[in-house]
Amino acid sequence: MKIIMLGAPGAGKGTQAKKIAAKYEIPHISTGDIFRANIKNGTELGKKAKTYMDQGLLVPDELVVDLVVDRVNQEDCSRGYVLDGFPRTIPQAEALDKALAAQGQKMDYAIDVDVPDQNIVQRMGGRRACVGCGATYHLVYAAPKKEGICDTCGAELILRDDDKPETVEKRLGVYHEQTQPLIDYYTKAGILKTVDGTVAMEDVFEAIVSILGE
Ligand code: AP5
Ligand code: MG
């Protein structure tokens, strides 16, 4: 099962992708997480990506496409995978389709987690991310057991650099301009499914499972 998660920044793509990966036992591939790991490790890719990410801009397509195509060709992806944060532009979607077609494959589902802009800004201010394992929390909707500490690995929880209100606004603008056209793209491909992302996390997941099957 090959799945793409679509949705605005903060719509809950990562939250749902982790649940999908656990239930269907397929890898969760988040380009944002890959870039953040590279930034943390001080790699060349991380240095390049950071200059764009901190401004709320997309990292150039050429730095993303090969990375994802290589990743989905790895052994553990043979039963499928869930892509979170990729593709994000029409050229990225076309490059993915082309790479899959060369192997006689195609994506099965593009799931759009639909959340209006006004809910997003409020959500992002409350998000906290673990500096150790990357787990995501929310001060109100998914609070850690101990304030400021990750339940899973015990490391510190921080506000992501790009979650400051002015950067969130910028990311939303970039989303509408460059990523939203993918809704049309996957509608035409016949694989778009939309779920209401404003309801509780468990209810969003239930809607997704009803699409993907038990
Ligand atoms: P990325 O890391 O992908 O960020 P994003 O798309 O902006 O999305 P987020 O991770 O912020 O949100 P999410 O939808 O995963 O929401 P979450 O589940 O955390 O990308 C970051 C940057 O990297 C980009 O800006 C770009 O620069 C670069 N980049 C990455 N991929 C790229 C690509 N392909 N091409 C070019 N550049 C790329 O949920 C958000 C919060 O809400 C959490 O606190 C969560 O607990 C809470 N929440 C979730 N669901 C619910 C719910 N139903 N009710 C209440 N709260 C909820
Ligand atoms: Mg995410």
Side-chain angles (χ1 to χ4, degrees):
M1 193 149 51
K2 295 192 277 300
I3 306 160
I4 294 166
M5 301 304 291
L6 292 175
K13 299 180 297 295
T15 301
Q16 299 301 327
K18 283 182 190 124
K19 288 175 179 281
I20 293 171
K23 179 173 171 70
Y24 298 98
E25 299 179 348
I26 52 176
H28 166 209
I29 302 171
S30 156
T31 41
D33 287 353
I34 294 172
F35 289 137
R36 282 185 288 276
N38 274 275
I39 292 171
K40 195 174 155 196
N41 296 330
T43 69
E44 275 312 307
L45 176 65
K47 281 178 201 151
K48 282 185 195 154
K50 187 171 168 42
T51 60
Y52 298 95
M53 289 170 74
D54 283 353
Q55 295 176 69
L57 300 172
L58 294 185
V59 174
D61 291 339
E62 58 270 24
L63 292 181
V64 189
V65 170
D66 291 350
L67 187 140
V68 176
V69 170
D70 285 348
R71 180 67 190 88
V72 300
N73 281 328
Q74 284 170 22
E75 182 64 37
D76 63 334
C77 291
S78 60
R79 289 181 51 252
Y81 43 82
V82 50
L83 295 179
D84 161 13
F86 182 94
R88 241 182 170 96
T89 62
I90 296 281
Q92 289 182 18
E94 289 172 345
L96 176 66
D97 280 350
K98 199 172 152 203
L100 290 176
Q103 303 176 350
Q105 297 180 15
K106 61 180 198 50
M107 293 307 300
D108 300 307
Y109 298 97
I111 300 176
D112 178 35
V113 183
D114 188 26
V115 177
D117 287 9
Q118 56 273 31
N119 300 40
I120 298 281
V121 181
Q122 181 201 3
R123 251 190 214 183
M124 303 299 248
R127 174 163 61 182
R128 294 294 179 273
C130 174
V131 293
C133 69
T136 303
Y137 297 85
H138 192 282
L139 296 181
V140 179
Y141 306 115
K145 292 194 181 80
K146 198 169 163 207
E147 200 187 317
I149 303 291
C150 179
D151 292 350
T152 314
C153 75
E156 184 197 359
L157 302 180
I158 56 151
L159 183 70
R160 245 167 64 177
D161 280 346
D162 59 349
D163 277 352
K164 299 181 180 85
E166 59 280 16
T167 317
V168 171
E169 297 280 356
K170 177 77 195 170
R171 284 161 63 201
L172 272 172
V174 167
Y175 166 77
H176 289 301
E177 196 180 307
Q178 300 192 56
T179 307
Q180 213 169 13
L182 293 177
I183 306 274
D184 259 4
Y185 182 93
Y186 289 113
T187 302
K188 285 189 186 123
I191 62 166
L192 187 86
K193 305 281 176 191
T194 304
V195 295
D196 178 3
T198 62
V199 297
M201 291 170 207
E202 296 69 31
D203 297 334
V204 179
F205 188 56
E206 209 177 286
I208 292 175
V209 171
S210 72
I211 292 165
L212 302 178
E214 274 300 334

